[in-house]
Amino acid sequence: MIRTIPVYFKKKVENLSAHFQQLFRDHYEPLCARAFQMVHDRKASEDIVQDVFLALWERRAEVDFDRPLLPLLFVAVKNRAIDLLRSRKWRGSEPGGDGLDACIRTLVADHIEEEFQLSQLSEEIEFCISGLSEQCRRVFLLSRTTGLKNREIAEQLNISVKTVEKHIGSALANLRLRLSRSGFLRLFL
């Protein structure tokens, strides 16, 4: 079962190593399972996940640990698994030699990951929207969920069209910032 990542890291944590070890312990098995879905090799799956965590540790100064890391870790594991499958195909050492079977496994694994990413994205969007001011949230939801035009929203809430535009622009800017910090924008570009 995959749990959401608690905030392990603070900007000035004395014992970064202990927090990183906890992150590793909490997510090592689900990430190995994800890699195994693609490569069907336990040792290779473990190597992939260890490489991902090693890269994260080496780049820890560049990483914003305030954002959810699990989606990024899953994407990194998927990319490393795909790299391994490509190198096996190129070297001709794909176990079983059935390229079609490997392709189907990869497609199924990708579908599972996309569903996971969409649920994480939905949670991230809901969290961001809940952090908006009451008026901004109301305007944004009327615009996006009911499909009302800016003029209709302005009439319904008794505010100007410019105010509606300002609230929608502010909400979108907050969403863009939050999603870019959490790594979701990179997934969809």
Side-chain angles (χ1 to χ4, degrees), residues 130-150:
S130 70
L132 298 172
S133 70
E134 181 64 33
Q135 183 77 341
C136 185
R137 180 174 46 252
R138 193 174 330 155
V139 168
F140 184 74
L141 290 175
L142 283 173
S143 169
R144 295 310 192 246
T145 60
T146 63
L148 293 176
K149 305 243 187 267
N150 291 356

Side-chain angles (χ1 to χ4, degrees), residues 14 35 57 63 71 85 87 96 137 147:
E14 295 293 326
W57 178 255
V63 176
L85 291 172
S87 72
R137 180 174 46 252

Side-chain angles (χ1 to χ4, degrees), residues 79-104:
N79 290 340
R80 297 232 179 183
I82 289 171
D83 290 344
L84 177 67
L85 291 172
R86 282 183 185 142
S87 72
R88 282 181 178 173
K89 182 178 178 182
W90 182 76
R91 289 187 314 221
S93 61
E94 175 69 31
D98 187 357
L100 180 59
D101 186 44
C103 182
I104 291 170

Side-chain angles (χ1 to χ4, degrees), residues 15 27 39 60 76 104 117 126 141 143 148 174:
N15 195 352
H27 302 294
V39 299
R60 67 188 175 275
I104 291 170
Q117 288 172 347
E126 287 175 20
L141 290 175
S143 169
L148 293 176
N174 284 336

Side-chain angles (χ1 to χ4, degrees), residues 112-128:
I112 291 168
E113 182 175 344
E114 286 172 7
E115 286 180 3
F116 172 76
Q117 288 172 347
L118 286 174
S119 88
Q120 290 290 320
L121 175 62
S122 178
E123 288 176 20
E124 193 74 19
I125 289 171
E126 287 175 20
F127 180 77
C128 184

